């Protein structure tokens, strides 16, 4: 009985880890680099001058 409880807990933690990993891994650009909203906004505000 104890073995079944431990196995169910392990399966639950694996499920929670997979959900956490997919939620917080971030979206990726076309070239594969992760992009956060704050980084994108910071880049837009600092690139105000011509190049």
């Amino acid at each position: 009985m104890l073995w079944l409880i431990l196995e169910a807990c392990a399966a639950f933690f694996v499920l929670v880890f997979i959900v956490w990993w997919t939620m917080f891994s971030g979206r990726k650009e076309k070239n594969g680099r992760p992009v956060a909203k704050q980084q994108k906004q910071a880049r837009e505000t600092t690139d105000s001058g011509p190049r």
Side-chain angles (χ1 to χ4, degrees), residues 8-27:
C9 288
F12 175 75
F13 286 120
V14 168
L15 175 68
V16 169
F17 176 75
I18 290 172
V19 171
W20 175 80
W21 182 265
T22 56
M23 284 179 63
F24 297 111
S25 64
R27 294 181 181 255

Side-chain angles (χ1 to χ4, degrees), residues 1 9-10 24 33 45 51:
M1 183 68 174
C9 288
F24 297 111
R33 293 186 355 219
T45 57
R51 290 187 176 191

